[in-house]
């Protein structure tokens, strides 16, 4: 590894530290929730080892615990995680010559919202060494947090586990509120999805939908409505 490669890897490690700290707490909550919903600790940990998607994992274990069919679980994961393919395509335009096909496939596993933001905002091209560095600590933190949460979930009193589930909802609200306050499209999508969720829960006919299809329907329709009502403006010709 030459000097530039070491510099890129080291910078990636530094950039990934704050993300890893955040992932540790989120994945801990995931581990507790998974065990609380009836999954064995080893299954919760295995899911984290093979995935790196907070919302996808939360939704997945919820659907698994509800006994949803595999088709519903797969479709829900597609809707929730399809954004990662768009992020990967965007980052492929910034990848330098060191990012060969095998390295693209490997580093794509660690592309999350936060890692995508770090890599896309990095000046110039992005090397494979930076991507390995920036993804290493978040990946370790995510799995470590899941392990600790799954183990703790089996030891905690039921009342404490329930309180952590409430904290999890508070965390998602904290994630949604800031962008919703500054972007009307996000606010509309959140409100539409919430309204749809209420309808699929309490409306006489819609309440017959399973949890998986209700989630898919609300997410897709809210996103489509937001895209139609709040289209992204095209850049002016000759603009940046």
């Amino acid at each position: 590894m030459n000097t530039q490669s070491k510099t890129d890897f080291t910078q990636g490690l530094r950039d990934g530290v704050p993300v890893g700290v955040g992932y540790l707490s989120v994945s801990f909550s995931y581990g507790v929730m998974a065990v609380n919903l009836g999954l064995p600790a080893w299954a919760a940990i295995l899911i984290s080892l093979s995935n790196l998607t907070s919302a996808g994992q939360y939704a997945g274990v919820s659907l698994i615990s509800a006994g949803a069919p595999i088709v519903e679980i797969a479709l829900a994961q597609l809707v929730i995680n399809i954004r990662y393919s768009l992020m990967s395509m965007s980052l492929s335009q910034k990848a330098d010559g060191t990012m060969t096909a095998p390295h693209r496939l490997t580093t794509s596993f660690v592309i999350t919202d936060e890692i995508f933001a770090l890599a896309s905002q990095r000046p110039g091209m992005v090397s494979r060494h930076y991507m390995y560095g920036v993804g290493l600590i978040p990946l370790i933190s995510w799995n470590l947090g899941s392990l600790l949460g799954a183990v703790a979930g089996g030891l905690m009193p039921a009342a404490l586990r329930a309180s952590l589930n409430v904290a999890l909802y508070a965390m998602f609200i904290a994630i949604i509120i800031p962008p919703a306050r500054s972007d009307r499209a996000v606010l509309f999508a959140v409100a539409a999805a919430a309204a749809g969720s209420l309808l699929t829960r309490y409306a006489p006919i819609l309440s017959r939908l399973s949890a998986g299809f209700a989630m898919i329907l609300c997410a897709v329709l809210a996103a489509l409505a937001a895209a139609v009502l709040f289209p992204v403006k095209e850049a002016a010709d000759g603009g940046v």
Side-chain angles (χ1 to χ4, degrees):
M1 185 182 295
N2 58 38
T3 303
Q4 183 60 48
S5 299
K6 291 180 181 178
T7 301
D8 287 349
F9 183 77
T10 302
Q11 185 60 51
L13 285 176
R14 292 173 179 170
D15 291 346
V17 169
V19 178
V21 173
Y23 282 5
L24 190 64
S25 59
V26 175
S27 59
F28 182 87
S29 299
Y30 154 76
V32 172
M33 186 192 76
V35 172
N36 199 26
L37 289 176
L39 267 69
W42 65 265
I45 296 168
L46 181 60
I47 290 173
S48 278
L49 286 170
S50 55
N51 295 267
L52 188 59
T53 163
S54 56
Q57 288 182 227
Y58 287 120
V61 297
S62 298
L63 293 175
I64 290 172
S65 67
I70 188 65
V71 174
E72 288 186 22
I73 298 174
L75 287 175
Q77 293 303 306
L78 176 64
V79 171
I80 294 171
N81 296 321
I82 197 170
R83 70 187 189 280
Y84 293 130
S85 63
L86 302 177
M87 294 177 189
S88 296
M89 287 188 286
S90 176
L91 281 182
S92 69
Q93 306 303 309
K94 284 179 62 70
D96 66 9
T98 66
M99 194 75 75
T100 58
H103 291 296
R104 289 173 185 261
L105 291 173
T106 304
T107 56
S108 65
F109 182 79
V110 297
I111 293 178
T112 62
D113 301 271
E114 295 78 12
I115 293 176
F116 168 75
L118 288 171
S120 61
Q121 293 174 10
R122 182 172 169 78
M125 306 299 284
V126 176
S127 69
R128 72 172 191 261
H129 305 95
Y130 178 81
M131 289 302 299
Y132 283 125
V134 77
L136 181 60
I137 293 178
L139 181 62
I140 293 173
S141 297
W142 184 261
N143 286 282
L144 178 60
S146 299
L147 172 63
L148 295 175
V151 172
L155 302 175
M156 288 179 179
L160 184 56
R161 294 201 304 268
S163 66
L164 283 175
N165 284 344
V166 173
L168 183 63
Y169 292 116
M171 180 194 69
F172 278 118
I173 292 174
I175 293 173
I176 291 171
I177 293 300
R181 292 179 62 184
S182 58
D183 192 325
R184 289 190 302 166
V186 174
L187 177 61
F188 174 83
V190 170
S197 181
L198 289 174
L199 285 174
T200 57
R201 181 63 182 268
Y202 297 109
I205 297 178
L206 293 177
S207 61
R208 299 177 184 176
L209 289 172
S210 62
F213 280 117
M215 180 188 302
I216 295 167
L217 183 65
C218 293
V220 172
L221 291 181
L224 285 175
V228 172
L229 296 176
F230 301 93
V232 177
K233 295 181 179 180
E234 295 285 346
D237 292 340
V240 178

